[in-house]
Structure formats: structure tokens, C-alpha cells
Amino acid sequence: MKRWLLFILLLIAGAAAQAHKPSDSYLSLKPVDNRIEGQWDIALRDLDFAIGLDSDNNGEITWGELKSRHDAIAAYALARLKLSAGGEECPTHVVEQLVDKHSDGAYAVLRFAAQCAKPVTLLTASYSLFHDIDPQHKGLLRLELPTTTVTGIFSPEKATQQFSVGGNSKLDQFGEYMKDGVWHIWTGFDHVLFLLSLLLPAVLVRPERRWQPVAGFRPAFWEVLKIVTAFTLAHSITLSLATLGVVQLPSRLVESCIALSVVVAAANNLYPLMAERRWIAAFLFGLIHGFGFASVLVDLGLPKNILVLALVGFNLGVEVGQIAIVTSFLPLAYALRATAFYRRAVLYGGSLVIVVVAGLWLLERAFNLKFMPV
């Protein structure tokens, strides 16, 4: 059992080392008969890392530098997006290239069209942008249909997806948003490590400034329940406010504060300033994490008629993913709580690794750096 817990800890640390400043692109598709009109917003910082845009290496990408690389950008992007209908590929070409500002910086905008041999009734999309250099990159899809809008999230594990142009039922759409929520927290290593940092001491108590095993399962269970409930309540509030457009915060500020929350939560295990009532930290920092969760739904630009459906389904998916993490962690941690291995290797060693990794995230996100390329 010790070996399994050590393996999980190393797996988390290794995965965390790959999770730098979030990388997303925004893909919109609109099938009309046998033609697909599209727009693809791709971060300039990601394109610069992949193919080089800043020719004079002065840290700034000018319009002239970008324009000189238009052909390279189009070739690079379209080679990593394949659209097909009726089993036949739809050739794609770029119509126009622009620049737009998102909350986290400047993006290249590729407007393109794909011509299919037959009217599009079942659309297959294969997406592999940046997957060879950044396994955490996601492509956020908005598929505009005559009666509704369908969304999807592309990742290396979900690189090819099919969509019925006739539209899915409300229940099917709800299920898709729920799956997206589960996947978002499972691949959101900063959210996971924040939660685990708070949960690691839940099976311990600290009388006389020394960690000791909790006497029974019930106190540990209630401590975990308070932390998870506070975190859930907090991020649900800000997830809703941000998705509905009531409150908006700059992406860099949100992501930097999320990294800071992980540093603080893990450092508190090494030098406890709040050995009890960690649910307070879970609630306060959970408000910031909610804005991070909302970024997926906000950037998709969903129409109002499905916004509530998406919000409820996505948030429920986040909670299901969170419960799965907690139920996997707690029994194992409780079984090992009395061992020196748990206190030294898992609590202290794991928290130290998290502090270092999250500290690098903080520097990357606050100053737009990249210490941990993949």
C-alpha cells in the first residue's frame, strides 16, 4: 500500500510539472449545406513557441512579424485540423487572418472554409494542435447549428469527435457539459493539488505542534467534508457569476492567484499557521478557483438559451470529478495516517514538491514566462 501511495504522489508531481500557464484555442464551426465556415483563435504565445513569430527576439510580436508568418501559421494550423462529412474529408483553406485580444493576451484569428462533397449531416473533427509539444492544451469548440449551439473540448485523449448536425437533445447536451466538467477538474492539476494540499492533514491532528494520527475515521471524514463543501460552495458562486457575466476578472490575475493558493495551502502543511479550520482557506481560495473553472464556458461564448444548461451540467461534472478524487484519497490516507512514511514522505515531501511546482507556476503566470516546457 505504501508503494501505491508513493506511486500516486510521484505521478501527480510528474503530471504537475507539465501543467504550466493554461493553453487553449477557440474553434467555431458553422455547417451550411455542404460548406463549413470556421474561425480559429490561437494564442500568439503558443504559436511563437511552436513555429517562431518574434523574428528579432525582442519579446514583442509586431503586425509585420505576424504577417510575414501568415502562410506558416495557416499551414501549421490546418495540418492539425481535419474535418470530414459522410466519411469524406472536407478540404480546408484560410480565407482571412486577423488579430484579436482575449483576456490572457493576443490571438491570431484564422477565418477559414471547408468544402464537403455532400451536405453535412454528421461532422467528424480531428484536432491535434500543439498536442505534440503541450499535452495540456485544449481546443474549445463551438458548433453553431440552426436551432442550437453544441460545444466540445478537444484534448490528446479526445482528439477526434463526431457531432450530429441535426442537433442533440437537451439531455444529451447536459451530459456532454457534465463530462466536460469532470474532465476539466481531472486535468486541472492546479485545482487538484490545491484540494489535495488541504486534504493531506485531514487524517492528522496537531497537538503540541506535532502531527499525529487522528483517533478515528469520523473526525477525518468530517474534516474532509467541511473542506470539500466549502470549496464547492465557493467555486460554484464565482463560476456562476463569471459564466453569467456578472463579474469578470483578468485571466492572468485569476491563474496567478490560483497558483498562489496552491503554494499557500501546501506551505501551510510545512509551517502550519492554520492547522485547524482549513475549510476557511478552502472557501476563500475556492472563490478564485471558480473564476478559473468559468474560463472554459466564458470563452466559448455560449448563447443565452443554453447558458444555464451548460452552467449546471459543467458545475455538476466538476463536483462528480471532485468526489471521485476525494473518495480515492481518503481511505488510503486514513490507512497510512499512523506511519512515519505518511507524515514524512507524503505530507512533508509531497507538500514540498507542490510548493516548488506551484511556485514555478506562479512565476510563469504572473510574468508570462515558461520554465517548464514539455
Side-chain angles (χ1 to χ4, degrees), residues 326-340:
V326 172
T327 54
S328 300
F329 164 82
L330 182 56
L332 190 56
Y334 181 78
L336 295 176
R337 73 193 189 285
T339 64

Side-chain angles (χ1 to χ4, degrees), residues 240-269:
S240 301
L241 292 176
T243 302
L244 297 175
V246 178
V247 180
Q248 297 290 338
L249 294 179
S251 173
R252 181 177 293 184
L253 174 63
V254 170
E255 297 300 333
S256 298
C257 288
I258 289 175
L260 177 62
S261 74
V262 182
V263 172
V264 171
N268 187 65
N269 297 336

Side-chain angles (χ1 to χ4, degrees), residues 1 3 12 24 36 62 89 142 170 191 210 212 293 302 321 336 347:
M1 189 175 291
R3 292 178 179 176
I12 292 174
D24 299 322
I36 302 171
T62 66
E89 185 173 336
R142 185 175 74 248
K170 294 292 185 181
H191 304 299
R210 183 178 179 183
Q212 296 181 12
F293 289 137
L302 297 173
L336 295 176
L347 180 64

Side-chain angles (χ1 to χ4, degrees), residues 175-296:
E176 288 300 318
Y177 289 123
M178 186 172 171
K179 287 193 292 185
D180 289 342
V182 172
W183 189 250
H184 187 70
I185 191 169
W186 281 359
T187 59
F189 295 112
D190 44 7
H191 304 299
V192 172
L193 291 188
F194 172 73
L195 187 59
L196 286 180
S197 295
L198 294 175
L199 294 179
L200 284 173
V203 294
L204 304 171
V205 292
R206 191 175 170 82
E208 302 178 357
R209 297 185 177 182
R210 183 178 179 183
W211 291 115
Q212 296 181 12
V214 70
F217 184 78
R218 179 175 292 183
F221 173 80
W222 284 113
E223 179 68 13
V224 168
L225 182 62
K226 287 188 291 185
I227 290 171
V228 172
T229 300
F231 184 61
T232 297
L233 178 61
H235 73 62
S236 296
I237 292 172
T238 47
L239 170 61
S240 301
L241 292 176
T243 302
L244 297 175
V246 178
V247 180
Q248 297 290 338
L249 294 179
S251 173
R252 181 177 293 184
L253 174 63
V254 170
E255 297 300 333
S256 298
C257 288
I258 289 175
L260 177 62
S261 74
V262 182
V263 172
V264 171
N268 187 65
N269 297 336
L270 302 174
Y271 302 100
L273 298 178
M274 186 183 290
E276 299 178 354
R277 298 184 180 180
R278 287 185 300 279
W279 64 268
I280 297 176
F283 182 84
L284 294 177
F285 283 122
L287 294 172
I288 297 297
H289 283 251
F291 286 108
F293 289 137
S295 63
V296 173

